Amino acid sequence: MKIPKLPAGEIARRAVQAKESIEVSTKARAAAIASEKALHDAFGIRKKTTPRPEHGQQIFVFNHLQRNHVVYSLTRAMKNNAALAQLPFNGKKSVPAALRKDLWHPFAQIKFPVGAGPIGLSVFQKLREYRRRHELEWGDEVRLDDEGNARKKKDRGKAICDQKANSVADIATVLSMLAAPKPLNVVKKKDALKRHQEGFDPEVAAAQKADRIRAQIKPLNIGLIGADSGTKVEILWNDLHDAEFAEKWGENVEHSLMPAPPHQSKRWALRKEHAILRAGEKAAKRELAEEEQQRDEADPEWRSKLTAEDLEALEQEKAEKIKAIEKEFKAVERNNALKAEWAEEKAAKYARTGKPLPSPSEVERLFQEDVPMVTYRAPKPAVAKHQPQPLTPEEKAARELDRQVRRQLYEKRMAEQAERKVNDPEWYEKVKAEGLKRKAEKNLL
């Protein structure tokens, strides 16, 4: 299909139109940001800024539930293209077209200390290099099955895809290179005890010989940044038993479990905590008020017996107790959190309606109207309820006799109506029609 050429005038017009649309959108975006900032300033909203971890400070490891693929990532969420680039092609349908997040789950999380981002990036590079070598360099454990026969192509591809155990061993090897080297107590050969000398121990002699050989061997250098620096590393495992795939771990590695995902949002958890604290504060203040009320009931004139200084000291002590209760149950923090949540909702409402921004005093007034503070008053004295007196045997007998008489009258009336219904059918039809008419008048049909 031949693409038609646009005239020069049309091209120039579209260019001007695109430039104008960009300018308009830029101005609209700047106005929206300024309006949002003004709203936040009016309601006192402060955005929470949590410092992001340094690039390379955390390494996230993901595992495929079916094929045991392992993918390393520097972000908490897997990225489709970056993850697929790490999966090797080991035969037909061994690499999916796109990730299925229901088949991938967090396997481990490697955390480095603050400022160790370059070390984390170097570890990330070495882990990917080792994993690539596992995929390309394999021996009889992949080529042959348990009986020693050659595996089929499909089974061999599945065995190559299973890199779970190899990845744990790689993590242990690379992280152990970051540990500080142990000082070797090298004993020279001429200073060591001989076999014919007294106090010779074969095990001690073998350990001394191993130390002498280890001192002559240069440490393996794979280009790892921070090698032998003693960097402490923490690994969070989804299943702590997966760490047993490695034979040994360095002394600089600490293992723990991943925190369980929250079952509810942080806001609802905070509201629940505040409700518990509010109930505790209310109970404590009620108890304080009850003590004062009991003292008033015991001696109504006890205040008149005190001097002005004693009364002032008493009121100060009471205020200190209330202040201690509010501090214990975080009254100020709860009020600030409640006000911040209210301010967010109110600012969003003002942004939708386009109302003029309120002043700080008006904001405080609106807050007191919408969210009235809880006032704690002294409990009212309980009023004794009327308790019914138990019946005497004579009263019980009279009530039972009255109930029997009423039952006999009812049965007699029902028997008469049944007899009349049989002897006078016209009467029954008339009564039935009147009943239906009354129901129709009351809309009961």
Side-chain angles (χ1 to χ4, degrees):
M1 180 180 178
K2 188 176 180 180
I3 301 175
K5 288 185 178 182
L6 294 175
E10 179 66 16
I11 295 176
R13 188 190 67 79
R14 292 189 181 186
V16 173
Q17 184 181 9
K19 184 179 179 180
E20 290 177 354
S21 63
I22 292 173
E23 292 177 356
V24 169
S25 61
T26 304
K27 290 180 181 179
R29 177 62 180 164
I33 293 174
S35 175
E36 183 181 4
K37 187 177 183 303
L39 274 172
H40 287 184
D41 293 341
F43 287 94
I45 300 174
R46 299 289 178 268
K47 288 189 176 181
K48 297 179 180 179
T49 56
T50 55
R52 295 181 61 183
E54 186 182 359
H55 187 59
Q57 190 178 344
Q58 297 179 353
I59 299 177
F60 301 91
V61 189
F62 298 93
N63 175 237
H64 196 276
L65 294 174
Q66 294 176 346
R67 299 181 181 178
N68 269 342
H69 280 303
V70 174
V71 167
Y72 302 103
S73 175
L74 295 174
T75 57
R76 191 176 297 274
M78 294 180 65
K79 295 183 180 179
N80 190 71
N81 295 339
L84 292 177
Q86 298 186 38
L87 301 182
F89 179 78
N90 297 323
K92 187 178 180 181
K93 296 184 179 179
S94 61
V95 179
L99 291 180
R100 281 185 55 182
K101 293 188 176 181
D102 58 330
L103 295 179
W104 291 89
H105 73 114
F107 180 63
Q109 180 182 350
I110 308 172
K111 300 176 70 174
F112 297 90
V114 179
I119 298 177
L121 292 175
S122 182
V123 170
F124 178 76
Q125 178 191 1
K126 299 306 170 187
L127 290 176
R128 290 193 59 174
E129 290 176 358
Y130 279 175
R131 204 265 312 281
R132 179 53 60 92
R133 292 192 62 180
H134 286 306
E135 295 167 356
L136 300 178
E137 302 174 14
W138 33 267
D140 293 340
E141 71 277 1
V142 174
R143 187 180 297 108
L144 305 177
D145 56 10
D146 297 337
E147 299 177 357
N149 301 324
R151 287 186 175 183
K152 296 181 180 179
K153 188 176 180 180
K154 188 175 182 180
D155 297 337
R156 189 165 63 247
K158 290 182 179 179
I160 297 173
C161 289
D162 187 358
Q163 294 294 329
K164 186 176 182 179
N166 290 336
S167 298
V168 177
D170 294 343
I171 294 172
T173 303
V174 175
L175 295 183
S176 63
M177 296 180 183
L178 300 176
K182 295 181 181 179
L184 298 176
N185 187 14
V186 180
V187 180
K188 295 182 179 180
K189 189 174 182 180
K190 62 180 181 179
D191 298 336
L193 295 175
K194 311 298 180 184
R195 289 181 179 274
H196 59 276
Q197 292 179 351
E198 185 179 356
F200 176 78
D201 189 352
E203 295 182 359
V204 175
Q208 293 175 354
K209 183 178 180 181
D211 288 342
R212 287 195 296 271
I213 296 173
R214 197 178 293 112
Q216 295 176 1
I217 299 175
K218 294 182 179 180
L220 182 61
N221 184 9
I222 62 172
L224 180 65
I225 298 176
D228 300 335
S229 61
T231 304
K232 298 292 184 181
V233 185
E234 183 185 4
I235 303 181
L236 305 179
W237 297 94
N238 191 14
D239 185 1
L240 204 55
H241 296 89
D242 292 334
E244 299 177 0
F245 282 115
E247 291 184 359
K248 61 179 182 178
W249 290 89
E251 296 180 356
N252 62 324
V253 181
E254 182 181 349
H255 303 272
S256 57
L257 278 172
M258 283 185 183
H263 295 286
Q264 55 186 355
S265 64
K266 293 182 180 180
R267 173 169 290 189
W268 282 109
L270 190 64
R271 286 181 178 178
K272 186 177 180 181
E273 180 185 357
H274 287 176
I276 295 172
L277 292 174
R278 193 182 302 113
E281 180 186 359
K282 189 175 181 180
K285 289 188 176 182
R286 186 188 295 115
E287 184 178 354
L288 186 65
E290 286 176 355
E291 291 178 2
E292 187 176 351
Q293 184 180 1
Q294 290 175 1
R295 190 172 179 179
D296 290 339
E297 291 175 355
D299 187 6
E301 300 180 356
W302 67 275
R303 293 179 184 274
S304 60
K305 300 176 183 178
L306 300 177
T307 62
E309 297 178 354
D310 295 338
L311 287 173
E312 185 178 356
L314 189 65
E315 291 295 330
Q316 187 175 359
E317 182 183 358
K318 180 181 177 182
E320 290 178 356
K321 287 182 179 180
I322 293 176
K323 190 175 181 180
I325 290 172
E326 291 177 350
K327 184 178 180 181
E328 180 183 359
F329 293 99
K330 304 178 181 179
V332 178
E333 297 178 9
R334 287 190 284 108
N335 188 26
N336 292 339
L338 184 64
K339 190 171 183 179
E341 185 177 346
W342 171 85
E344 290 181 6
E345 297 177 357
K346 205 70 175 178
K349 186 176 180 181
Y350 267 72
R352 290 194 302 268
T353 56
K355 294 181 179 179
L357 297 180
S359 60
S361 59
E362 190 177 355
V363 168
E364 190 65 28
R365 182 184 61 79
L366 290 173
F367 176 68
Q368 296 297 338
E369 289 178 358
D370 292 352
V371 189
M373 301 305 295
V374 181
T375 55
Y376 301 96
R377 301 171 183 171
K380 297 180 180 179
V383 179
K385 295 182 178 180
H386 175 69
Q387 299 291 337
Q389 298 295 331
L391 297 175
T392 60
E394 293 78 7
E395 292 176 343
K396 290 183 179 179
R399 286 193 177 187
E400 184 65 25
L401 181 62
D402 183 58
R403 189 181 297 110
Q404 291 179 0
V405 171
R406 290 175 181 275
R407 183 67 182 176
Q408 291 175 359
L409 291 174
Y410 172 75
E411 292 177 352
K412 181 179 179 182
R413 187 166 61 253
M414 291 294 105
E416 290 177 356
Q417 288 183 2
E419 184 179 359
R420 189 172 180 181
K421 177 181 176 181
V422 174
N423 298 331
D424 191 359
E426 295 180 358
W427 169 84
Y428 174 70
E429 293 295 335
K430 184 179 178 182
V431 171
K432 185 177 179 181
E434 290 179 356
L436 293 175
K437 184 179 179 182
R438 285 195 297 269
K439 285 184 179 182
E441 291 176 354
K442 297 180 180 180
N443 293 327
L444 298 177
L445 293 177

